Amino acid sequence: PTVKKILVAVALAACAVPASAAPKEPAVPSDRAQVAEKYTWNTADLYPSIAAALKTRDALAERIPSLARFQGHLADSPAALFDALDAVSNADRDLSRLYTYSSMRRDEDTRVNETLALLQSVQLLAVKMGATTSYLRPEILAMDPAKVQEFQSKEPRLAPFKMLLDDLMRRRAHTLSASEEKLVAQAGDMAGAGAELHSIFTNAELPYPTVTLSTGEKAYLDASGYGKYRAATNRADRELVFKAFWDEYGKFRRTMASSLYAAVKSHIFFKDARKFDSSLDAALFDNNIPTSVYRQLVADVHANLPTLHRYLELRRRIMGLDKLRYQDIYAPLVPRVEKTYTAEEATDLTLGAVAPLGPDYVAALRKGFADRWVDFMPTMGKRSGAYSTGAYGVHPFQLQNFNGQYDDVSTLAHESGHSMHTFLSDKRQPYPTHDYSIFVAEVASTLNENLLLHFMLDRTQDDATRLALLGNYLDGLRGTLFRQTLFAEFELKIHEMAEKGEPLTADALDKLYLDLTREYYGHDKGICQVDDMLAVEWAYIPHFYYNFYVYQYATSLVASTSIAKAIREEAAQGKTTTRDAYLTMLSSGSSKYPIDLLKGVGVDMTTSKPFQAAIAEMNAVMDDMDKILARAKK
């Protein structure tokens, strides 16, 4: 499935969860049949039944072998090239629709074997199709670029495939001979060993500790438990949780270092095999992102560490602490304001928040809500979390687990950003360019969150609620702009060390991570104390195995904050220049590279300007919070 097929709101949508929110056990219906139809998505828009999906699957399975008939003939004529690309594209579109349907039906209730079997059969079909059409890329790359250009000029029907063909030509310098490509592909089977080792060990075998809190509650500190109990309101409990958790991780730091080193060495192997200058170059090449974007992000964060330090000092004052410690940054910043919302109220708030995006955007989203794009309610067996998905030629869908909290409203706005991105791209683009990259996908979602925040603030007068909204948003900015960039810098440095031949021992990783964390959090300046035990936190972060993925969390938020600010300011003046450019971006799919799509909205991620807009917003939030706190003292 393509990148937009499953967009899970975990990392960035976490910005929407109030910092003081403790995990809450919802009242979960025991059976999906108990949920009113209006709160469920309408999968019949994809296929009327599982039987119909199976029939389509079987027909596609019979059709896939025929795609091999084009092998060896792509260069025969412009028409031959089109026929091959068109046939494969149509099969991919049909397969994608099947995958969307089968994964959605499985996620409704993960306990149902029938839908799991359907999904697994579609996944096997995808493998079969991949193997059958594997000749396409090398055969096109073997053609003279001038001939490919000539074919495009002579065959107008190739126009939808222009981006695909141009991008393939861009890859020529990093494409190997057929025999070498085969070896690299075979090596790929081993590339995930480090990540797999880390995942299996941390999820299945690491002996996580159990501690007894001041309340008498016994807290089991696996990854989920640590995430919950590190936010304990009692400082002694937080100290206990941190020490027990990191002491246990520290016992296995050498194993963790070996697994991470294995992952980094695999990245270096592919970098060398494909003749890239660095692992960073190789990782960013697919989406044609200049490495300057990555380095600019790190430089911007370092230049703006005083803003992070201001946040930390504000947190210390609000919490009434003499000295802030790293163990205090996940605790509730401000008291939670208890208010619940119905699904109808959530949709109304989302529609009101996105009004600056124009009447057509609002009307399309309103119709989507009415036409049951969204599966709202949690039920037994339903997949957790939230995501947006879709099938070309149909419409988007959203999975939610709505519990009536503000964070659920924000998640609806977030996923609706993805859904409208899908809707507009599918509406304006042919299938070959309808998809979009993660680099721009999370811009659409976090921009909606930003609009929702300001919409709520404009309609909220009482200081307690405003402080809760601002504190929640501020914690999200800290976690995304600074914490994720810290991760990105650590990831860059460990690859640079390995590329120089320096081993990534546990001691080396501990020192690098602790030094970076202390620099970011102002340890030596007395702003936030980072204890030695936090040196091993690198071993807890799975994103370090994702090959330069994590930086996109920060760049997306930077871009969306800049665009949202411009849209809001122009809307107040009755202008729509940025809004119109943004909607054009949402309608562009992958017809341009992501960095160019953002430039079209006035956001140049190779410069500091977008980041400065995000920092200005962070400081404005703290200004507002300072005013509220000053009023409270009177």
Side-chain angles (χ1 to χ4, degrees):
T2 49
V3 73
K4 78 164 188 249
K5 298 307 173 190
I6 298 291
L7 288 164
V8 181
V10 175
L12 284 179
C15 301
V17 181
S20 58
K24 181 180 178 181
E25 293 298 327
V28 180
S30 61
D31 194 302
R32 183 176 176 82
Q34 298 176 4
V35 178
E37 183 182 74
K38 65 180 180 178
Y39 298 128
T40 64
W41 53 24
N42 186 11
T43 57
D45 287 346
L46 290 164
Y47 299 101
S49 64
I50 289 179
L54 288 169
K55 185 176 179 180
T56 302
R57 180 204 63 186
D58 294 343
L60 183 59
E62 292 181 4
R63 188 167 122 216
I64 284 176
S66 69
L67 298 176
R69 71 185 185 277
F70 302 106
Q71 185 170 3
H73 299 288
L74 301 185
D76 288 357
S77 67
L81 180 59
F82 168 77
D83 288 343
L85 292 176
D86 185 57
V88 172
S89 180
N90 289 338
D92 183 72
R93 180 195 61 210
D94 295 344
L95 177 64
S96 178
R97 184 165 176 165
L98 269 172
Y99 179 85
T100 298
Y101 177 81
S102 59
S103 62
M104 287 169 59
R105 294 303 308 270
R106 186 279 310 270
D107 292 345
E108 290 174 357
D109 189 340
T110 57
R111 302 168 300 174
V112 177
N113 288 330
E114 181 185 26
T115 53
L116 176 60
L118 172 63
L119 176 60
Q120 290 176 341
S121 70
V122 173
Q123 291 170 333
L124 290 172
L125 199 60
V127 173
K128 180 180 179 181
M129 181 168 163
T132 303
T133 61
S134 61
Y135 63 87
L136 274 175
R137 182 184 297 252
E139 194 166 322
I140 293 173
L141 283 168
M143 296 171 64
D144 188 304
K147 187 171 186 177
V148 174
Q149 290 293 327
E150 178 189 352
F151 276 16
Q152 292 186 72
S153 65
K154 290 183 176 180
E155 177 54 84
R157 293 181 300 168
L158 283 171
F161 300 101
K162 182 181 188 307
M163 188 64 179
L164 168 68
L165 294 170
D166 289 351
D167 192 58
L168 279 175
M169 293 301 106
R170 182 177 68 92
R171 298 170 184 271
R172 287 179 64 87
H174 303 289
T175 301
L176 311 176
S177 67
S179 59
E180 290 171 330
E181 286 288 349
K182 183 177 180 180
L183 286 173
V184 169
Q186 290 172 336
D189 291 337
M190 300 179 286
E196 184 69 12
L197 171 61
H198 179 268
S199 177
I200 293 296
F201 182 67
T202 57
N203 289 308
E205 295 187 340
L206 198 155
Y208 289 107
T210 297
V211 297
T212 302
L213 304 179
S214 59
T215 60
E217 178 184 1
K218 291 192 179 297
Y220 175 59
L221 301 180
D222 59 359
S224 176
Y226 170 69
K228 174 181 178 179
Y229 293 108
R230 69 182 178 182
T233 55
N234 183 291
R235 198 181 200 191
D237 286 342
R238 296 197 298 271
E239 294 282 351
L240 178 65
V241 167
F242 268 73
K243 186 175 188 309
F245 189 76
W246 295 119
D247 280 355
E248 199 61 40
Y249 255 82
K251 295 175 184 177
F252 303 98
R253 49 197 283 277
R254 294 175 181 83
T255 297
M256 303 284 200
S258 295
S259 68
L260 182 56
Y261 193 21
V264 172
K265 284 192 292 185
S266 74
H267 300 160
I268 293 174
F269 168 80
F270 291 113
K271 179 268 292 188
D272 291 339
R274 297 202 176 280
K275 303 177 177 63
F276 285 100
D277 292 334
S278 69
S279 299
L280 181 64
D281 285 312
L284 271 57
F285 179 79
D286 275 353
N287 285 324
N288 203 21
I289 306 294
T291 56
S292 59
V293 170
Y294 198 104
R295 297 183 186 279
Q296 186 67 54
L297 172 66
V298 173
D300 286 336
V301 162
H302 278 275
N304 289 279
L305 285 177
T307 296
L308 173 61
H309 297 165
R310 180 189 176 188
Y311 157 84
L312 295 169
E313 174 58 19
L314 176 64
R315 172 173 274 279
R316 184 195 67 77
R317 287 193 289 115
I318 291 175
M319 295 181 71
L321 302 173
D322 292 332
K323 186 179 186 64
L324 187 72
R325 302 176 67 183
Y326 193 84
Q327 293 91 312
D328 301 316
I329 64 176
Y330 296 103
L333 178 59
V334 294
R336 180 186 179 96
V337 175
E338 290 297 337
K339 178 174 173 55
T340 59
Y341 305 84
T342 65
E344 288 78 10
E345 288 172 331
T347 57
D348 287 344
L349 288 171
T350 297
L351 291 170
V354 300
L357 299 180
D360 291 344
Y361 186 104
V362 174
L365 184 57
R366 177 180 284 111
K367 187 175 187 302
F369 289 149
D371 289 348
R372 296 169 52 204
W373 285 6
V374 185
D375 200 78
F376 276 100
M377 302 306 175
T379 52
M380 292 297 294
K382 183 177 177 180
R383 175 176 170 161
S384 61
Y387 64 70
S388 176
T389 186
Y392 189 81
V394 186
H395 57 71
F397 294 89
Q398 289 181 42
L399 179 138
Q400 299 280 342
N401 279 276
F402 189 83
N403 289 314
Q405 303 299 311
Y406 174 74
D407 54 292
D408 297 310
V409 180
S410 191
T411 298
L412 180 65
H414 177 109
E415 296 305 334
S416 295
H418 287 313
S419 292
M420 286 303 297
H421 196 176
T422 297
F423 175 80
L424 291 171
S425 284
D426 286 2
K427 183 178 179 181
R428 302 293 184 189
Q429 296 296 317
Y431 184 75
T433 54
H434 81 290
D435 202 7
Y436 44 78
S437 73
I438 288 290
F439 194 84
V440 292
E442 295 297 348
V443 174
S445 55
T446 54
L447 184 138
N448 276 16
E449 288 187 55
N450 187 291
L451 293 179
L452 176 66
L453 170 73
H454 287 277
F455 181 79
M456 298 292 288
L457 289 172
D458 288 345
R459 286 153 182 78
T460 302
Q461 300 302 319
D462 68 285
D463 282 348
T465 303
R466 289 183 64 84
L467 196 64
L469 288 168
L470 292 167
N472 161 45
Y473 184 57
L474 186 59
D475 280 337
L477 289 173
R478 190 277 306 174
T480 304
L481 294 181
F482 292 97
R483 180 170 168 82
Q484 301 299 335
T485 304
L486 188 158
F487 293 164
E489 184 173 3
F490 176 80
E491 186 174 9
L492 177 60
K493 287 183 179 295
I494 62 176
H495 281 82
E496 290 176 339
M497 289 168 61
E499 287 167 3
K500 294 175 185 176
E502 300 175 20
L504 300 183
T505 63
D507 287 344
L509 293 171
D510 282 358
K511 183 180 187 308
L512 174 61
Y513 191 85
L514 187 62
D515 287 349
L516 279 175
T517 305
R518 284 177 167 170
E519 180 182 4
Y520 273 62
Y521 285 85
H523 173 88
D524 293 338
K525 297 179 179 180
I527 295 167
C528 179
Q529 179 178 320
V530 181
D531 296 334
D532 289 348
M533 66 178 170
L534 270 300
V536 75
E537 189 179 34
W538 58 266
Y540 168 70
I541 310 300
H543 295 80
F544 296 145
Y545 294 86
Y546 296 178
N547 197 13
F548 295 99
Y549 179 93
V550 70
Y551 82 103
Q552 295 172 112
Y553 294 140
T555 56
S556 295
L557 188 59
V558 164
S560 68
T561 302
S562 178
I563 296 169
K565 182 174 185 291
I567 289 174
R568 293 196 316 273
E569 290 175 348
E570 289 181 3
Q573 301 169 7
K575 300 178 181 178
T576 64
T577 303
T578 302
R579 181 197 81 183
D580 295 342
Y582 173 66
L583 294 176
T584 296
M585 185 198 86
L586 296 186
S587 303
S588 297
S590 57
S591 60
K592 294 181 180 179
Y593 290 114
I595 201 74
D596 296 323
L597 289 173
L598 289 175
K599 285 181 179 178
V601 198
V603 176
D604 186 350
M605 295 302 295
T606 64
T607 71
S608 296
K609 186 178 178 181
F611 192 88
Q612 293 308 319
I615 287 297
E617 176 136 326
M618 188 170 182
N619 278 297
V621 168
M622 289 189 281
D623 290 342
D624 286 348
M625 293 181 73
D626 280 337
K627 292 175 184 176
I628 293 173
L629 293 170
R631 287 197 296 269
K633 289 182 178 179
K634 294 181 180 180

